[in-house]
Structure formats: C-alpha cells, structure tokens
Amino acid sequence: MTNRTLVIVNATGRQGASLARVADAVGYNVRAHITTKLSEQDGAVAKELRQLKNIELIEGSLEDPKLISRLFVGARRAFINTISWGDEVAIGKALADAAKKAGVQHYVYSSMPDHAVFNKGWPSLPLWSCKFTVENYIRQIGLPATFVYTGIYNNNFTSLPYPLFCMKLQPNGGFQWTAPFHPDKPLPWLDAEHDVGPAVIQILKAGPQKWSGHRIGLAFQLLTPRQVCEAFARGLRRPCSYKRGPITVEVPIPSGYRSQLAGIEELFGKWEAPYFGPDIQAPDEALGLWAGYRGMEEYAREVFPVEEAANGLTWMH
C-alpha cells in the first residue's frame, strides 16, 4: 500500500474514533475531520487524537464546500459517518462527490436501512433513512464503496434517565431495562469503541476488490433483551431484568430524536421488524473480519461502571 492516507469524517464519534486509534497504530496517515461544534466529551476525544503521531485533525463545518473539496485531496481511502449536523443528505452527497473527484479508491460509508423500502407498512426512521438515501447516491455515481450497518451500541446503556437504553437503578441495587423490543427476539449488538476500528481496518485491507458495493452488518452478537440483562447480571453481579414497555422521555431531547424514538417504538415494538431489514445477516461477516470483539458481559463488567463513574454516578462504590 503506497498511499497510506485515510480520511475519517466525524473522527470524535464512537465509530470514527475507534478507527482513528487503530489506523494510527498500524501506520496509516489519518486525516481526521472533526466538527467545530464540539461537546465537552468530544473535546476530550479530540485532545486524545491530537496526541497520536499519525493523525492530522481538520476542523470545520461540513456545510463548507471549501473544506469538503480539500478533505480528500491525495487520499485513496475514506471512512464516513455523518450525523445530523445540518442537511445530512446534502452533506453526504457533497462528501461523495468530492471523494470521487479526488480519486478515492475505497469509500467506507456508515449507512442504515430505510425499512419503508422493504414494507410499505413499516415507518422510515428519520435518522436512518437519510443515510440510505446517501448510500443509493454513492452507488449511482459509481464511487467504489462498502456500506457498514452498525448494530446497537453496547455503549448506549446508562442508568441516567435517557430514553430507550436506560438501565434504571433499582432499590435492591440491581437494574431494570424497559424498552418496546420483544423480550425473546434477537437484536444485533456492537461495542463501537472497541470493535469498529479493527473491523473497518480489515475491510480497507481487503479493499474494493472484495467489498465494493457490499453491505456488512457490523454486529458481533445477536442477543435478546432478556439475554442482554442476563449478561449484565453476570458482569455486574447484580440483578438485572427486562420489562417490555413504551419508551418514556424524562429529559429534554431534540425533536428529530423524538421522531426517531416514535418510529423505533412502532417499527420494532409493534411490527417486530428485522433490525437491519430482511437482506443483511449478522454476525457471521463481522466475526470473519474481527474475532476479538468485546461482548455484552465483558462490556457490563469492564466498561459500564467506568462510563457511569465518568457521568458522576456512584452506585458502583
């Protein structure tokens, strides 16, 4: 590999930061984009990335055409994970156009399904369907690309009162997770910080000759909600139970996320639709890329208490 420049968009997100750390360690020259609207947590990640020897940080808005036009110059590989910084479809298309113009040879795009395409009775999830629209555009312009569909982050769980993945602390010191998912229907799971980087590095290593045009379900375990709670109970050595119920919102959230939650409740609660849609299977391809994944029990034991302590919680003491 003569050209070792790798562009990462959203390098302070869980997916991008995971890849940046691994790519730096194996000798890529990483051009890492970060938005200037950094949260306090993102600021800590950006500070970490600045200390890595093979990473150049590019700060700015993805709504700036000049920044996008220079982002890919001289690069042959890219990993793109956009979030709702603005018009995500327009940003996604502009990034793809710039990458094609610069001659990027392998473009790995973090996509998600639009379930309404597969079944007219299923709702489109607004934070996912925009990614599917961009994926189709990437295919249309002929950019050599691979599309990774990430499972549910293990790291979503918190005992803070955030909707959908709140592990609510109980009076007996245990936890209860309430969500609309069927208790015995498997869902795909991923420790994004631990496992996205090693898996995507293997995709880049094999190149577009193997993976161009392919969708990969990036999840390393299929666990039912009951099995998730059993893994938490083993990892934490505390009781943990699952209760099927509606999503409750106890804290202020953006309106777009509120719409996403309503769609999740209908799509996976009422219709029990397959998480990735009917065409993507997990975890076999992900395991073929990276066998050293962090499972749910290990996450609960080793990481969940650390993240909780970082949020100012003290239940683990």
Side-chain angles (χ1 to χ4, degrees), residues 96-173:
D97 288 337
K100 185 175 182 183
K101 183 177 180 180
V104 169
Q105 296 173 356
H106 197 184
Y107 193 83
V108 180
Y109 179 74
S110 184
S111 188
M112 286 304 278
D114 181 352
H115 282 77
V117 171
F118 305 109
N119 187 316
K120 292 182 180 180
W122 291 349
S124 291
L125 300 183
L127 301 185
W128 290 9
S129 59
C130 55
K131 296 181 185 296
F132 191 76
T133 298
V134 173
E135 174 186 333
N136 286 332
Y137 180 77
I138 293 167
R139 294 179 184 276
Q140 290 166 10
I141 66 173
L143 183 60
T146 305
F147 306 96
V148 294
Y149 283 51
T150 56
I152 306 171
Y153 293 2
N154 300 353
N155 320 74
N156 283 345
F157 285 111
T158 176
S159 66
L160 293 171
Y162 296 142
L164 191 56
F165 293 104
C166 175
M167 279 285 183
K168 190 172 183 180
L169 187 63
Q170 301 297 296
N172 67 354

Side-chain angles (χ1 to χ4, degrees), residues 180-263:
F181 307 115
H182 189 288
D184 298 312
K185 187 176 181 65
L187 297 167
W189 296 93
L190 165 71
D191 191 304
E193 291 189 357
H194 189 270
D195 298 321
V196 168
V200 172
I201 283 291
Q202 293 304 314
I203 294 170
L204 293 170
K205 183 178 179 180
Q209 297 85 354
K210 180 173 183 179
W211 295 114
S212 183
H214 197 76
R215 293 174 177 147
I216 299 173
L218 206 56
F220 293 88
Q221 286 184 300
L222 290 179
L223 299 174
T224 69
R226 289 190 204 275
Q227 290 172 327
V228 168
C229 289
E230 289 168 1
F232 259 75
R234 292 192 301 269
L236 296 175
R237 296 184 178 180
R238 293 168 178 250
C240 185
S241 62
Y242 178 71
K243 177 183 177 182
R244 190 178 191 182
I247 298 171
T248 58
V249 179
E250 300 177 9
V251 294
I253 59 173
S255 59
Y257 187 48
R258 188 178 292 272
S259 299
Q260 178 81 359
L261 292 174

